[in-house]
Amino acid sequence: MSGKFDIIVVGGGHAGAEAAWACARMGAPTALVTLSIATVGQMSCNPAIGGIGKGQMVREIDALGGLMGLAADATGIQFRVLNRSKGPAVHGPRCQSDRHAYARWIQKALQECPNLEILEGEAAEIVIESGSVRGVAMADGRLLSCRAAIVTAGTFLNGIMHMGEKVWPGGRYDEPSSCSLTKSLTGAGVQAGRLKTGTCPRLDARTIDYSLCARQDGDDPPSPFSFMNSSLNVQQVPCWLTETNPAIHAAVRENLHRAPMFTGQITSVGPRYCPSFETKIVRFGDKDSHQIFLEPEGRDTDWVYCNGIATSLPPDVQDFMVRNIPPLRNAKILRYGYAIEYDYFPPTGLRATLESKSVEGLYLAGQVNGTTGYEEAAAQGLVAGVNAVLALSGRDAMVLRRDQAYIGVMIDDLVTKGITEPYRMFTSRAEHRLCLRADNADRRLTPIGADLGLVDQERLGRFRAELAVGERIQEILKETRVNGKQLGDLLQNPRLGLDEAVALAPADVAVELQAARAAHAAILHSVLHDARYAGYMQREQLALRQLAEMDQRLIPPDIDYGKITHLRHEAREKLQSISPRSLGQALRISGITPADVTVLAIHLSKHR
């Protein structure tokens, strides 16, 4: 073999970019193999980053030293925090992105990263010998040597595109699919399945009548994703809101016999929370209209993304749909919507590190694990990259807990419960979301990123300075008394905001809080949120300690569940299939009861 690397990352999407960045930053000689360098970091679907649950994960990626938050801040054209009217635990940072600028930013960061080489070409086979990764065979005959491989191939594995009756191979519009990589993995014992996703028509902005739309502006001032940015100096671009109508719904119903989703042409399951427009019409038959968000794809392009009408209906039906929306009556369709079916690998076949249980040194991340969304993919890519390096260097794995990060919630859900449809992150999936706010991701995760070598000295110095300010604010809240009560306790009243707290405080304390607001607003508000939720969080601590104790009781990977005679037959089968890392993970497996875990705990104690 030639081209010797420690780690090869296959695929240049959001998962691949974060995986390659993490590996190289941690010192491992790394190759990123992609079909085209020009499409690395490309936004295949909507031109946006973040959202509810997703935005929290972007901030976690940033806190650990990843790329996505910095790239979003550098190339965003509109910034909003969703759910502002609700509590800070469910605030969701989101930005509308310039999709071309975003990809260029990611490409530049990777091209300038030491220890990283970007190679163009198709990875045809993961070379596996004696159950371990040994290299990657390229379609052009090159053989690349490595000790670990991270597959982040997105929708490219045996991708099939659908638009009405038309079917053609492809991994993305005008890009080929990869047709041999799945075979090399299934031949090594990795299970595979099929999923589906889709996208919407793109329109020419010059042909849209925006006077008939509702305008949607960004927040003023905009909130950055990255903890490295205190503020953003950005000229924001508006988005626009319109809606469908009964005439369009009737046309879709009349053409369901031509919709691949309903003719049997598409057999795979698509994302429940981002359904095709035709699925919406069938599922929500009582609705007369659905919202459409008209989202510009960048500052220097006329392309507009029609968020809300993803479809694989034939072009003539898409023409009717678009032209019968008043603001779009004269709209020119630049690209029709389409659906794509692709291979994925059920994530219950992975360890919590995202390493395959079947092949040593094989890691999977992103849509190949059954997720949907740039943010979910990027988070997995970072975790897979970190753990590949840690494994090769003989260090303990990084497994984030459910109370520690949304990333930990997602990966635990995937490897423990598996999926029946593409997985999307929501705040409701996190039982400890009061602790997992977007505002405190740095305090939760930056120390971990520093220990790993992902966080540079500039970021670490900034973090320590902010942490010192936060600790001083905590002291003020604890030591300042108003009418015999701690100021921090008073903040548990939801009607008491910062201004009211300052008004109640002694003059010297009020001055210090005002100064903190001027120079360190983010950490000030984060600490105030801690104080507001303190009562709830204290009640969670017992549950968290019990969870931590269960998660710290590790199960030997070579345990034979068939020999634990007191376990129910169903429990033995499920435990053998999932191979949980700890008693805590075992308890979260669907169908495993507390009694089963008690039997398992007794067995482990006897055979320690």
Side-chain angles (χ1 to χ4, degrees), residues 265-276:
Q265 184 174 305
I266 292 176
T267 58
S268 309
V269 178
R272 175 186 301 269
Y273 301 103
C274 188
S276 68

Side-chain angles (χ1 to χ4, degrees), residues 235-522:
Q235 185 68 40
Q236 299 196 71
V237 174
C239 295
W240 304 86
L241 181 64
T242 184
E243 60 185 15
T244 61
N245 53 56
I248 295 170
H249 295 202
V252 170
R253 289 191 189 95
E254 291 169 4
N255 283 278
L256 287 177
H257 65 286
R258 303 174 65 200
M261 286 290 295
F262 294 90
T263 63
Q265 184 174 305
I266 292 176
T267 58
S268 309
V269 178
R272 175 186 301 269
Y273 301 103
C274 188
S276 68
F277 183 63
E278 47 268 38
T279 300
K280 286 183 187 179
I281 298 304
V282 172
R283 188 181 297 169
F284 308 108
D286 58 326
K287 283 191 171 289
D288 290 331
S289 65
H290 292 281
Q291 288 184 322
I292 301 174
F293 296 89
L294 301 176
E295 301 174 342
E297 294 201 348
R299 295 187 185 279
D300 304 316
T301 178
D302 294 316
W303 284 53
V304 173
Y305 182 89
C306 297
N307 194 339
I309 52 170
T311 182
S312 56
L313 282 162
D316 62 296
V317 181
Q318 295 190 43
D319 283 331
F320 183 91
M321 288 165 52
V322 169
R323 305 264 161 72
N324 280 273
I325 298 168
L328 310 181
R329 192 160 287 142
N330 298 309
K332 178 182 178 182
I333 297 179
L334 298 174
R335 178 182 294 164
Y336 291 100
Y338 61 90
I340 179 169
E341 291 184 285
Y342 57 93
D343 291 342
Y344 86 104
F345 307 104
T348 50
L350 301 175
R351 307 188 193 282
T353 59
L354 297 184
E355 183 181 21
S356 170
K357 296 173 184 175
S358 304
V359 180
E360 183 182 5
L362 172 65
Y363 295 79
L364 304 175
Q367 282 186 272
V368 294
N369 286 342
T371 59
T372 179
Y374 309 145
E375 304 81 4
E376 290 89 344
Q380 292 172 70
L382 188 147
V383 170
V386 165
N387 280 313
V389 176
L390 293 175
L392 294 183
S393 58
R395 296 165 62 188
D396 290 339
M398 181 188 76
V399 177
L400 299 174
R401 303 187 309 271
R402 294 183 71 90
D403 65 302
Q404 200 171 19
Y406 272 93
I407 297 173
V409 173
M410 172 182 64
I411 292 177
D412 186 63
D413 281 350
L414 292 173
V415 303
T416 303
K417 302 173 183 177
I419 63 151
T420 55
E421 60 194 26
Y423 180 99
R424 177 177 178 176
M425 177 51 72
F426 294 104
T427 53
S428 58
R429 294 190 188 273
E431 59 271 41
H432 305 295
R433 58 184 173 273
L434 295 183
C435 305
L436 306 182
R437 305 189 307 271
D439 62 79
N440 66 6
D442 59 338
R443 289 188 283 153
R444 290 185 277 119
L445 298 175
T446 295
I448 296 174
D451 288 342
L452 292 168
L454 279 173
V455 170
D456 60 25
Q457 289 303 307
E458 182 185 359
R459 181 185 287 269
L460 188 57
R462 186 185 183 99
F463 167 72
R464 286 172 175 166
E466 291 289 293
L467 192 62
V469 173
E471 290 171 349
R472 174 56 188 152
I473 296 169
Q474 289 173 329
E475 288 178 9
I476 291 173
L477 298 180
K478 185 176 181 180
E479 295 173 359
T480 303
R481 292 190 171 271
V482 177
N483 298 325
K485 289 187 176 182
Q486 291 180 358
L487 183 58
D489 290 341
L490 292 177
L491 284 167
Q492 293 182 34
N493 181 344
R495 292 187 295 274
L496 188 71
L498 177 59
D499 290 333
E500 291 79 9
V502 169
L504 290 171
D508 58 333
V509 171
V511 169
E512 194 167 355
L513 288 175
Q514 291 286 26
R517 173 153 62 178
H520 303 279

